[in-house]
Amino acid sequence: DLFAQQQAPSSGTTTMRIPPGGVGFLLLVLSFAFAQPTSGVLPPHARRSLNSGNGPPRNLQVVAEEASDTDVVATATNEPHAEQALRQQLLSNYDRGSFPFVTLWENQNGTRTGLPVELGLNFHRVLQVDPTSSVVDMIVWVRQRWNDPRLAWDPEQHNGIYKVNFWVADGSGPGGETSEIWTPDLELWNNAEPLAQTLVSTSAVVSSDGTVFWSRPGHVKPVCKFSGLSDFPFDTLRCTLEIGSWSYSGLYLRPIMLDGVGFSIGGSETAGEAYQEFDLGTVECEEHVYPPFVNAPLEDWPVVFYHISFQRSWQPYARGFVTLQIILNVFAFTCFWLPPHLGERMSLSITAVLAAVASELVVAAKLPAAAELTWFAKFSTVSMLFTALALIESAAVIYFYYLTVDDLVPSWYRWLERNILRKESTKPANSDEFEIEFEDAQETDETQPTDQENGHPADQEKDHQTDSIEANGRTPSLRNSVMFEEPPPRPSRLGSKVTLDSTSDEAPHEHRMSMTLARELSSFRTRKSIKTILGRDADDFKNSKEMANNHKWQQVAKKMDEASRLIFPVLFAIFVTTAFATAK
């Protein structure tokens, strides 16, 4: 053998036993080793292969060629302590709570601009868009890249190690107790929850030139100032994310778009949405700089804007609410074909109104209680207005169908005209006239003394009725007592008085007739009150004049229904067509 490796048991060192005549060959090997472009020392795994005592002897040139074909990763793997040594070297005297901005400014030749921090978001999936609370929940991958000169090294001096991972916990900034390096404190300014609580703690990859790349998956929950909600349910909501440094101004940190774009969408098999109300639409990234404060005129505040749009699935609302409103209006219009005397007509109209209100309440729960009107709110309001008008039309038709008066002048206006507008002075009564009140007529008749000695009040009342029959020549029934040719003077109000001439010879006989008439009128008022309470039929008329008046008003109700059958459906069809034409 050219070489033989012998282990010294006492010292733990390796000795070389060179055979006689091998001195020249040894010199040749040494000269070949010093002639390599490396530092003159073979890689460790090449030396082990050369010094191995197993197998046949190997040529030095073959061993050197095998060493040159081995990549840097294999070299670092074979040297597990090299990365540990590099980490210890980089983190010695390293302050993770600060950044050497002064050194950065010295390298900028006095310009003093902040550290560029490249920011990029990969939008993975939209979880929830809540317009009522103005909060959006998305799964994103937040990526940052910057340069830390304290973490740079020469790979040639560390067995070709080009990248090292450093753990960063508890979000950005100095981090928690387990964070190893400094990270910029970029924060979502319009956040519902801070990024430190919604993003996963991961390791940052540091390159040999000091470039740090930090990527974290997690949630982003911004509080959005939505726009486009006025077109609900055919709306596309737009929200803006604002990300920037919270502690450092533009003099220290300057966030910019990663690779000049600043965002990406998807990239994995699990990205995207399915069977959701909102889908991710478009994304735009923009750099913006806020002006300095008065007390710091050299420090502006740069941020990065992400303008995101969310497309709503309008089909469920069109099927469940818009179409339902149209159908309810059609049902409300069918009451125009029902006869007025059917009670189901009013029931159908009222049911259509209540169903429209219930549909509006269900949709209102999905929208914020705001002053702005949405497309659906306008559509629902006009739709309920049509159903309400159909209900009012039905009530008016039923009113005219049972009406029996001559005109539509209300009683309160007649009273106002009689007592205020046309007020007349009343004449005083003559002294030779006596007045009998209708309310006391029956009582006076009952207390009148009898002419016969053994008379009875009932017999006296019978005699009065007989006299009344003889005087009039017919039985004073309820209907006939009020339909004589020359009716007695009707009292203008309750408590009015009938005036009789006391000097006439027939005064006692006329007095008895007045008492009978008072009783009949009192009975008539009682029966009229009972009919008012219990109601009456459409053909239950007191005289032929009421029948003629009712026939006239029934014709009015009929014409109202005929006009409504045409006007309401046509106007509603025009409204629906216009509403869908203006929907975006």
Side-chain angles (χ1 to χ4, degrees):
D1 295 336
L2 296 177
F3 297 94
Q5 187 177 18
Q6 182 177 2
Q7 184 73 21
S10 60
S11 61
T13 58
T14 303
T15 59
M16 302 290 294
R17 185 168 55 86
I18 302 177
V23 177
F25 182 75
L26 179 60
L27 294 176
L28 178 62
V29 172
L30 294 176
S31 63
F32 177 79
F34 282 103
Q36 297 300 319
T38 59
S39 59
V41 181
L42 291 175
H45 66 281
R47 292 197 299 270
R48 289 196 299 269
S49 177
L50 181 63
N51 298 331
S52 176
N54 301 326
R58 309 181 62 185
N59 188 278
L60 263 179
Q61 184 176 0
V62 176
V63 175
E65 291 177 356
E66 292 178 356
S68 62
D69 294 337
T70 307
D71 54 6
V72 178
V73 178
T75 303
T77 303
N78 292 329
E79 290 293 339
H81 301 291
E83 181 177 352
Q84 181 179 0
L86 176 60
R87 290 170 55 86
Q88 293 177 355
Q89 177 182 342
L90 295 176
L91 295 178
S92 60
N93 299 325
Y94 183 88
D95 184 10
R96 64 171 183 242
S98 62
F99 186 85
F101 293 106
V102 177
T103 305
L104 176 66
W105 295 331
E106 291 176 354
N107 297 331
Q108 294 176 350
N109 299 323
T111 56
R112 299 193 67 177
T113 58
L115 172 67
V117 180
E118 297 183 74
L119 175 64
L121 296 182
N122 176 267
F123 294 91
H124 189 76
R125 184 172 183 176
V126 178
L127 286 182
Q128 184 181 12
V129 178
D130 189 1
T132 58
S133 60
S134 301
V135 176
V136 174
D137 189 0
M138 296 179 292
I139 297 180
V140 297
W141 300 344
V142 180
R143 297 163 176 170
Q144 301 180 39
R145 185 166 61 195
W146 69 94
N147 186 272
D148 192 342
R150 299 172 296 176
L151 300 177
W153 72 90
D154 186 4
E156 299 297 335
Q157 297 180 1
H158 298 84
N159 293 334
I161 300 176
Y162 288 96
K163 294 182 179 179
V164 178
N165 293 345
F166 290 93
W167 177 255
V168 179
D170 299 333
S172 58
E177 296 297 330
T178 60
S179 297
E180 296 180 307
I181 62 174
W182 176 88
T183 55
D185 67 332
L186 296 187
E187 184 60 75
L188 179 64
W189 284 16
N190 57 327
N191 65 76
E193 296 183 14
L195 297 180
Q197 298 179 6
T198 58
L199 297 180
V200 180
S201 298
T202 60
S203 296
V205 181
V206 181
S207 301
S208 59
D209 60 348
T211 301
V212 183
F213 181 79
W214 187 26
S215 178
R216 294 174 292 168
H219 293 250
V220 171
K221 294 183 178 181
V223 178
C224 299
K225 183 181 179 181
F226 284 120
S227 62
L229 191 59
S230 59
D231 299 325
F232 174 85
F234 308 101
D235 54 337
T236 298
L237 299 183
R238 286 171 290 274
C239 175
T240 299
L241 278 67
E242 188 174 11
I243 301 179
S245 176
W246 189 254
S247 302
Y248 297 97
S249 64
L251 184 63
Y252 301 93
L253 292 180
R254 189 164 295 273
I256 58 177
M257 295 183 295
L258 180 65
D259 297 330
V261 180
F263 71 93
S264 59
I265 300 176
S268 67
E269 293 295 331
T270 58
E273 299 81 21
Y275 298 99
Q276 287 193 174
E277 183 178 358
F278 288 94
D279 296 331
L280 183 64
T282 60
V283 179
E284 298 178 2
C285 190
E286 174 190 1
E287 296 178 3
H288 181 75
V289 178
Y290 287 103
F293 293 110
V294 179
N295 56 352
L298 299 179
E299 300 182 12
D300 55 3
W301 294 89
V303 295
V304 177
F305 285 148
Y306 287 91
H307 305 289
I308 310 170
S309 64
F310 305 97
Q311 297 178 351
R312 187 193 299 268
S313 299
W314 56 268
Q315 292 83 355
Y317 294 94
R319 293 191 301 264
F321 299 101
V322 178
T323 306
L324 179 61
Q325 289 281 2
I326 298 175
I327 295 176
L328 291 175
N329 278 273
V330 173
F331 286 165
F333 298 158
T334 57
C335 67
F336 303 146
W337 280 265
L338 295 179
H341 64 272
L342 291 181
E344 289 78 5
R345 173 165 181 159
M346 288 296 294
S347 300
L348 179 60
S349 301
I350 295 174
T351 302
V353 174
L354 294 179
V357 173
S359 177
E360 171 66 19
L361 294 177
V362 172
V363 178
K366 296 179 175 292
L367 298 175
E372 294 81 2
L373 290 177
T374 63
W375 181 93
F376 183 84
K378 299 176 183 177
F379 181 87
S380 179
T381 301
V382 178
S383 179
M384 285 193 295
L385 179 62
F386 272 96
T387 57
L389 290 177
L391 176 61
I392 296 174
E393 193 272 349
S394 296
V397 167
I398 295 175
Y399 172 76
F400 286 117
Y401 185 79
Y402 289 101
L403 192 61
T404 58
V405 297
D406 295 335
D407 51 34
L408 298 179
V409 178
S411 59
W412 62 266
Y413 182 79
R414 293 182 185 273
W415 180 89
L416 186 67
E417 183 181 15
R418 182 174 61 253
N419 294 277
I420 297 179
L421 301 180
R422 297 180 181 179
K423 186 175 182 180
E424 297 180 357
S425 59
T426 58
K427 296 180 180 181
N430 296 329
S431 58
D432 57 346
E433 296 178 348
F434 64 95
E435 300 175 344
I436 304 175
E437 296 185 10
F438 285 119
E439 288 79 1
D440 300 331
Q442 187 174 3
E443 181 181 357
T444 305
D445 184 58
E446 292 177 355
T447 57
Q448 184 177 0
T450 59
D451 295 336
Q452 300 179 0
E453 186 176 6
N454 298 326
H456 192 273
D459 298 335
Q460 184 70 25
E461 181 179 358
K462 187 179 301 184
D463 294 337
H464 291 167
Q465 293 180 0
T466 304
D467 296 339
S468 177
I469 293 173
E470 294 175 355
N472 292 279
R474 55 185 176 179
T475 303
S477 62
L478 174 64
R479 179 78 63 173
N480 296 331
S481 62
V482 295
M483 296 183 66
F484 44 80
E485 295 180 358
E486 295 181 359
R490 186 177 180 180
S492 60
R493 63 182 182 274
L494 187 63
S496 63
K497 303 175 182 178
V498 177
T499 305
L500 299 177
D501 189 2
S502 59
T503 62
S504 176
D505 297 337
E506 298 179 355
H509 179 68
E510 293 180 357
H511 176 66
R512 290 194 297 271
M513 292 179 59
S514 300
M515 298 302 100
T516 304
L517 178 61
R519 288 194 298 270
E520 294 291 341
L521 290 178
S522 177
S523 176
F524 173 74
R525 291 194 190 99
T526 304
R527 296 184 183 184
K528 185 177 180 181
S529 300
I530 294 175
K531 284 194 172 185
T532 303
I533 297 173
L534 299 180
R536 63 181 182 85
D537 298 331
D539 56 350
D540 186 12
F541 308 110
K542 294 188 294 293
N543 50 45
S544 59
K545 185 177 181 180
E546 286 190 357
M547 181 182 299
N549 291 338
N550 181 255
H551 179 72
K552 178 185 66 174
W553 293 119
Q554 284 186 3
Q555 295 300 318
V556 174
K558 181 179 179 181
K559 292 180 181 180
M560 289 179 61
D561 272 344
E562 292 177 353
S564 300
R565 294 167 190 170
L566 176 63
I567 296 175
F568 274 79
V570 171
L571 291 180
F572 186 72
I574 295 174
F575 160 70
V576 172
T577 303
T578 305
F580 278 97
T582 56
K584 297 181 180 179

